[in-house]
mmCIF file of all heavy atoms in Angstrom:
data_model
loop_
_atom_site.group_PDB
_atom_site.id
_atom_site.type_symbol
_atom_site.label_atom_id
_atom_site.label_comp_id
_atom_site.label_asym_id
_atom_site.label_seq_id
_atom_site.Cartn_x
_atom_site.Cartn_y
_atom_site.Cartn_z
ATOM 1 N N HIS A 96 43.424 29.955 -60.679
ATOM 2 C CA HIS A 96 44.514 30.297 -61.615
ATOM 3 C C HIS A 96 44.164 29.722 -62.985
ATOM 4 O O HIS A 96 44.303 28.511 -63.203
ATOM 5 C CB HIS A 96 45.848 29.729 -61.099
ATOM 6 C CG HIS A 96 47.042 30.033 -61.952
ATOM 7 N ND1 HIS A 96 48.277 30.388 -61.415
ATOM 8 C CD2 HIS A 96 47.236 30.037 -63.304
ATOM 9 C CE1 HIS A 96 49.151 30.587 -62.395
ATOM 10 N NE2 HIS A 96 48.539 30.362 -63.559
ATOM 11 N N THR A 97 43.694 30.582 -63.895
ATOM 12 C CA THR A 97 43.442 30.131 -65.268
ATOM 13 C C THR A 97 43.852 31.208 -66.271
ATOM 14 O O THR A 97 43.895 32.397 -65.951
ATOM 15 C CB THR A 97 41.955 29.782 -65.567
ATOM 16 O OG1 THR A 97 41.253 30.970 -65.965
ATOM 17 C CG2 THR A 97 41.256 29.132 -64.392
ATOM 18 N N HIS A 98 44.117 30.726 -67.475
ATOM 19 C CA HIS A 98 44.347 31.606 -68.632
ATOM 20 C C HIS A 98 43.280 31.202 -69.657
ATOM 21 O O HIS A 98 43.590 30.673 -70.728
ATOM 22 C CB HIS A 98 45.721 31.378 -69.242
ATOM 23 C CG HIS A 98 46.879 31.441 -68.277
ATOM 24 N ND1 HIS A 98 47.816 32.446 -68.310
ATOM 25 C CD2 HIS A 98 47.279 30.611 -67.266
ATOM 26 C CE1 HIS A 98 48.741 32.238 -67.367
ATOM 27 N NE2 HIS A 98 48.431 31.121 -66.728
ATOM 28 N N LYS A 165 43.181 35.318 -66.314
ATOM 29 C CA LYS A 165 44.264 36.273 -66.530
ATOM 30 C C LYS A 165 44.261 36.802 -67.961
ATOM 31 O O LYS A 165 43.845 36.089 -68.881
ATOM 32 C CB LYS A 165 45.616 35.577 -66.296
ATOM 33 C CG LYS A 165 45.771 34.989 -64.913
ATOM 34 C CD LYS A 165 47.063 34.176 -64.812
ATOM 35 C CE LYS A 165 47.079 33.312 -63.565
ATOM 36 N NZ LYS A 165 47.081 34.041 -62.319
ATOM 37 N N TYR A 168 47.826 37.296 -73.129
ATOM 38 C CA TYR A 168 48.058 36.854 -74.511
ATOM 39 C C TYR A 168 47.749 37.997 -75.487
ATOM 40 O O TYR A 168 47.510 37.763 -76.657
ATOM 41 C CB TYR A 168 47.197 35.627 -74.853
ATOM 42 C CG TYR A 168 47.584 34.367 -74.097
ATOM 43 C CD1 TYR A 168 46.652 33.688 -73.316
ATOM 44 C CD2 TYR A 168 48.879 33.856 -74.168
ATOM 45 C CE1 TYR A 168 46.988 32.532 -72.624
ATOM 46 C CE2 TYR A 168 49.228 32.704 -73.471
ATOM 47 C CZ TYR A 168 48.290 32.060 -72.708
ATOM 48 O OH TYR A 168 48.630 30.915 -72.022
ATOM 49 N N LEU A 198 47.992 40.380 -66.589
ATOM 50 C CA LEU A 198 49.259 39.641 -66.741
ATOM 51 C C LEU A 198 49.988 40.082 -68.020
ATOM 52 O O LEU A 198 50.444 39.268 -68.807
ATOM 53 C CB LEU A 198 48.981 38.119 -66.732
ATOM 54 C CG LEU A 198 50.144 37.145 -66.953
ATOM 55 C CD1 LEU A 198 51.245 37.281 -65.907
ATOM 56 C CD2 LEU A 198 49.657 35.701 -66.998
ATOM 57 N N HIS A 201 53.773 38.834 -69.092
ATOM 58 C CA HIS A 201 53.765 37.371 -69.299
ATOM 59 C C HIS A 201 54.909 36.988 -70.226
ATOM 60 O O HIS A 201 55.546 35.949 -70.063
ATOM 61 C CB HIS A 201 52.407 36.989 -69.905
ATOM 62 C CG HIS A 201 52.063 35.533 -69.821
ATOM 63 N ND1 HIS A 201 51.051 34.961 -70.542
ATOM 64 C CD2 HIS A 201 52.600 34.514 -69.090
ATOM 65 C CE1 HIS A 201 50.974 33.669 -70.258
ATOM 66 N NE2 HIS A 201 51.903 33.375 -69.390
ATOM 67 N N ASP A 236 49.686 40.138 -61.975
ATOM 68 C CA ASP A 236 50.535 38.942 -61.983
ATOM 69 C C ASP A 236 51.699 39.197 -62.938
ATOM 70 O O ASP A 236 51.678 40.146 -63.741
ATOM 71 C CB ASP A 236 49.660 37.774 -62.497
ATOM 72 C CG ASP A 236 50.256 36.389 -62.282
ATOM 73 O OD1 ASP A 236 51.418 36.273 -61.888
ATOM 74 O OD2 ASP A 236 49.522 35.411 -62.557
ATOM 75 N N HIS A 266 53.648 34.093 -61.085
ATOM 76 C CA HIS A 266 54.142 32.825 -61.622
ATOM 77 C C HIS A 266 55.587 32.715 -61.121
ATOM 78 O O HIS A 266 56.493 33.326 -61.692
ATOM 79 C CB HIS A 266 54.114 32.831 -63.148
ATOM 80 C CG HIS A 266 52.753 32.617 -63.735
ATOM 81 N ND1 HIS A 266 51.781 33.562 -63.716
ATOM 82 C CD2 HIS A 266 52.217 31.521 -64.347
ATOM 83 C CE1 HIS A 266 50.686 33.081 -64.300
ATOM 84 N NE2 HIS A 266 50.932 31.845 -64.691
ATOM 85 N N GLN A 269 58.771 28.485 -61.404
ATOM 86 C CA GLN A 269 58.179 27.344 -62.118
ATOM 87 C C GLN A 269 59.249 26.461 -62.762
ATOM 88 O O GLN A 269 59.166 25.236 -62.708
ATOM 89 C CB GLN A 269 57.199 27.821 -63.204
ATOM 90 C CG GLN A 269 56.563 26.666 -63.983
ATOM 91 C CD GLN A 269 55.725 27.110 -65.178
ATOM 92 O OE1 GLN A 269 55.758 28.291 -65.561
ATOM 93 N NE2 GLN A 269 54.994 26.192 -65.778
ATOM 94 N N ASP A 288 52.531 31.126 -57.337
ATOM 95 C CA ASP A 288 51.923 30.026 -58.086
ATOM 96 C C ASP A 288 52.991 29.205 -58.816
ATOM 97 O O ASP A 288 53.991 29.759 -59.263
ATOM 98 C CB ASP A 288 50.917 30.581 -59.097
ATOM 99 C CG ASP A 288 49.808 31.421 -58.432
ATOM 100 O OD1 ASP A 288 50.095 32.106 -57.433
ATOM 101 O OD2 ASP A 288 48.676 31.389 -58.923
ATOM 102 N N HIS A 289 52.775 27.915 -58.938
ATOM 103 C CA HIS A 289 53.719 26.908 -59.471
ATOM 104 C C HIS A 289 54.659 26.467 -58.347
ATOM 105 O O HIS A 289 54.557 25.370 -57.854
ATOM 106 C CB HIS A 289 54.527 27.394 -60.682
ATOM 107 C CG HIS A 289 53.727 27.558 -61.924
ATOM 108 N ND1 HIS A 289 53.280 26.495 -62.666
ATOM 109 C CD2 HIS A 289 53.277 28.660 -62.557
ATOM 110 C CE1 HIS A 289 52.592 26.940 -63.707
ATOM 111 N NE2 HIS A 289 52.573 28.251 -63.669
ATOM 112 N N LEU A 311 49.951 23.808 -59.238
ATOM 113 C CA LEU A 311 49.379 23.667 -60.579
ATOM 114 C C LEU A 311 49.852 22.346 -61.194
ATOM 115 O O LEU A 311 50.758 22.321 -62.029
ATOM 116 C CB LEU A 311 49.789 24.876 -61.430
ATOM 117 C CG LEU A 311 49.359 26.224 -60.811
ATOM 118 C CD1 LEU A 311 49.997 27.407 -61.531
ATOM 119 C CD2 LEU A 311 47.842 26.373 -60.808
ATOM 120 N N ASP A 341 45.336 26.020 -63.922
ATOM 121 C CA ASP A 341 46.261 26.732 -64.808
ATOM 122 C C ASP A 341 45.814 26.586 -66.264
ATOM 123 O O ASP A 341 46.650 26.635 -67.178
ATOM 124 C CB ASP A 341 47.701 26.216 -64.639
ATOM 125 C CG ASP A 341 48.740 27.131 -65.272
ATOM 126 O OD1 ASP A 341 48.406 28.277 -65.604
ATOM 127 O OD2 ASP A 341 49.897 26.678 -65.443
ATOM 128 N N ALA A 342 44.505 26.363 -66.496
ATOM 129 C CA ALA A 342 44.016 26.114 -67.859
ATOM 130 C C ALA A 342 44.642 27.102 -68.847
ATOM 131 O O ALA A 342 44.421 28.308 -68.744
ATOM 132 C CB ALA A 342 42.500 26.239 -67.887
ATOM 133 N N ASN A 343 45.446 26.607 -69.756
ATOM 134 C CA ASN A 343 46.108 27.459 -70.752
ATOM 135 C C ASN A 343 46.492 26.608 -71.953
ATOM 136 O O ASN A 343 46.547 25.381 -71.863
ATOM 137 C CB ASN A 343 47.327 28.175 -70.118
ATOM 138 C CG ASN A 343 48.545 27.281 -69.979
ATOM 139 O OD1 ASN A 343 49.144 26.853 -70.964
ATOM 140 N ND2 ASN A 343 48.923 26.961 -68.736
ATOM 141 N N THR A 346 50.959 24.952 -71.431
ATOM 142 C CA THR A 346 51.482 23.996 -70.453
ATOM 143 C C THR A 346 50.424 23.210 -69.703
ATOM 144 O O THR A 346 50.767 22.294 -68.954
ATOM 145 C CB THR A 346 52.326 24.729 -69.387
ATOM 146 O OG1 THR A 346 51.464 25.664 -68.722
ATOM 147 C CG2 THR A 346 53.495 25.454 -70.007
HETATM 148 FE FE1 FE B 20 49.661 30.187 -65.349
#
Side-chain angles (χ1 to χ4, degrees):
H96 181 139
T97 87
H98 308 248
K165 301 173 194 296
Y168 293 123
L198 177 60
H201 197 194
D236 193 351
H266 283 73
Q269 180 187 10
D288 302 34
H289 290 286
L311 303 169
D341 194 14
N343 78 66
T346 61

